[in-house]
Amino acid sequence: ELGNRRINLEMADKNNILLLIFYQKNNLFLEACEAFLQRSRIIKKKTWENRSDNVEESIKCLDTCLGIIDEHSLNGSRINQIKAEASVNIGELYLHREKGVREENIEIAITLFLDVLPGIEKGRDWRNWAALQNHLGLAYRDRISGVKTENWLRAEHYFSQAIDVFE
């Protein structure tokens, strides 16, 4: 079964790369952002490859997606969703990143999570809102800079927010 899954993911990745080339050559920026987002999802599923390299490749895809949005001043509800998903995903990758300085990676993750937080509504998008609260809880729990007690209190706050959604 792993063989079939691996073949399917490799084919999906190659197809996605072809779409990326097409979208970029034809200035289809929204579609290119969606394709970079999809490619990062595919790369994350390649568990048989070097995890650290996959994390770095996913970060590049998501950075490129966010760069396209900024460079072309894209906006709209779908772009906002893509930007939020890309920011949360890249924050999660930085939170568990093996390369780089751990302290800096956690700070980048916190910044990304906090930047996207105002755009996710608890009532309308409660699953993503709760997941983001949980990510912030993990980030503050593992945070190296700052005062340990304050970090733990923030972590407790965000974990409580996430749990409240399910009660």
Side-chain angles (χ1 to χ4, degrees):
E1 187 176 315
L2 177 61
N4 287 341
R5 181 171 181 245
R6 183 176 181 168
I7 290 168
N8 289 340
L9 283 171
E10 290 295 344
M11 288 175 57
D13 193 26
K14 298 217 181 314
N15 184 44
N16 194 269
I17 290 169
L18 292 173
L19 285 172
L20 279 168
I21 293 166
F22 174 79
Y23 293 149
Q24 289 180 306
K25 281 188 175 186
N26 291 289
N27 295 325
L28 299 168
F29 303 121
L30 171 65
E31 292 81 357
C33 288
E34 288 177 328
F36 275 113
L37 197 57
Q38 180 62 25
R39 180 140 201 271
S40 75
R41 290 184 200 119
I42 292 168
I43 293 167
K44 257 174 111 171
K45 292 178 182 177
K46 291 183 174 184
T47 55
W48 60 88
E49 292 185 354
N50 182 304
R51 183 189 180 286
S52 182
D53 290 344
N54 287 353
V55 166
E56 297 306 311
E57 187 65 25
S58 287
I59 287 172
K60 284 181 194 172
C61 286
L62 296 167
D63 270 341
T64 303
C65 172
L66 293 172
I68 289 170
I69 291 169
D70 289 342
E71 180 182 340
H72 299 285
S73 303
L74 301 178
N75 55 38
S77 63
R78 181 62 188 135
I79 287 293
N80 291 340
Q81 289 172 335
I82 291 171
K83 191 171 185 175
E85 185 177 343
S87 296
V88 170
N89 288 350
I90 200 170
E92 186 179 357
L93 290 165
Y94 269 101
L95 192 56
H96 304 293
R97 187 178 187 214
E98 295 171 7
K99 292 185 179 178
V101 178
R102 177 101 175 106
E103 182 175 4
E104 291 172 8
N105 290 340
I106 293 170
E107 293 305 312
I108 291 169
I110 289 171
T111 300
L112 286 162
F113 294 147
L114 291 174
D115 284 350
V116 78
L117 186 59
I120 298 178
E121 294 178 30
K122 181 179 178 181
R124 200 175 60 156
D125 196 5
W126 63 271
R127 280 192 180 104
N128 286 330
W129 187 87
L132 184 54
Q133 299 297 316
N134 188 60
H135 290 324
L136 278 161
L138 293 170
Y140 277 107
R141 181 198 67 192
D142 295 345
R143 191 176 192 202
I144 297 165
S145 11
V147 178
K148 196 70 153 170
T149 317
E150 290 175 16
N151 291 338
W152 281 63
L153 289 172
R154 285 184 182 161
E156 180 183 36
H157 166 76
Y158 287 115
F159 285 138
S160 291
Q161 293 280 57
I163 290 169
D164 285 349
V165 168
F166 297 101
E167 290 183 336

